[in-house]
Amino acid sequence: MGVEFVDLFDKWASSYDDTVSGNDPEYREVFEGYEEMLEKLAELSLSPVMEFGVGTANLTRKIINQNKVVFGIEPSKEMRRIANVKCPEAAIYDGDFINYPQLLTPIRSIISSFAFHHLNTDEKKQAIKKYQQQLDPDGQVIFIDTLFKDEAHKQQLIKDAEKAGFLNLAQDLQEEYYAYLEELREMFLEHGFEVSFKQLNKYAWLIQAKKGE
């Protein structure tokens, strides 16, 4: 994963929970229904779970509360610090979507919330290929992330953000590596996954990819 985002994560750690809770008007629509989305993601996961981009461990806590085993991966030192306080019983490792400690425990679910877009196109392909090899035969990848339906959808979201005066959000939509839906579908299909997409709010989508027979 691009190291260019790690400093941003460290700076964002102290205010991340406030942002996802809807207290920042600029990002309120991005995280609309945040708690419900994470709850759904935790419910869909099969244990043992590997979670990438743990952040401040909001999803980690929900998985633990469902009595599932979770191994967390997080590149930001500050995010890990907060996550370890929130979930002291969890195993949270330094790493990212591609470079992470190899676990001997079989993994049935690889999950993430609002983080996969920090990988560029080539990195996304590398990660998906790696997950196909690591997951159990009944394994699955389940992500929640911002996606663009197509270029027209991307431009409309940017226009809406600019019209509302949300210039930081508009810049994010242009500069971060948000995937186009069909582009991401092809990446999963190429590596033998059966994949489905469900829109959860104006920005966020549920991506569920199961290993094929």
Side-chain angles (χ1 to χ4, degrees), residues 103-117:
L103 306 177
L104 298 178
T105 303
I107 298 298
R108 297 180 69 201
S109 297
I110 290 175
I111 68 173
S112 183
S113 60
F114 297 99
F116 197 56
H117 65 269

Side-chain angles (χ1 to χ4, degrees), residues 34-103:
Y34 178 75
E35 293 294 333
E36 293 79 7
M37 288 190 285
L38 296 197
E39 195 68 42
K40 180 65 174 177
L41 191 48
E43 289 173 2
L44 289 171
S45 66
L46 303 173
S47 182
V49 180
M50 179 175 282
E51 180 191 357
F52 287 96
V54 165
T56 57
N58 296 321
L59 177 55
T60 314
R61 170 47 60 196
K62 291 183 184 298
I63 297 168
I64 292 172
N65 288 349
Q66 293 185 14
N67 297 314
K68 297 176 181 178
V69 176
V70 56
F71 302 95
I73 309 294
E74 172 55 52
S76 164
K77 181 179 179 179
E78 284 302 305
M79 290 285 196
R80 287 198 309 275
R81 182 184 62 78
I82 294 171
N84 283 319
V85 171
K86 195 176 291 186
C87 295
E89 70 273 52
I92 300 174
Y93 302 95
D94 182 8
D96 57 51
F97 280 95
I98 298 173
N99 303 298
Y100 54 89
Q102 295 302 301
L103 306 177

Side-chain angles (χ1 to χ4, degrees), residues 3 23 30 37 59 84 123 147 156 164 183 186 210 213:
V3 296
N23 294 322
V30 176
M37 288 190 285
L59 177 55
N84 283 319
E123 290 168 338
L147 291 181
Q156 185 61 55
E183 173 188 43
E186 287 301 317
K210 298 181 180 179
E213 298 295 333

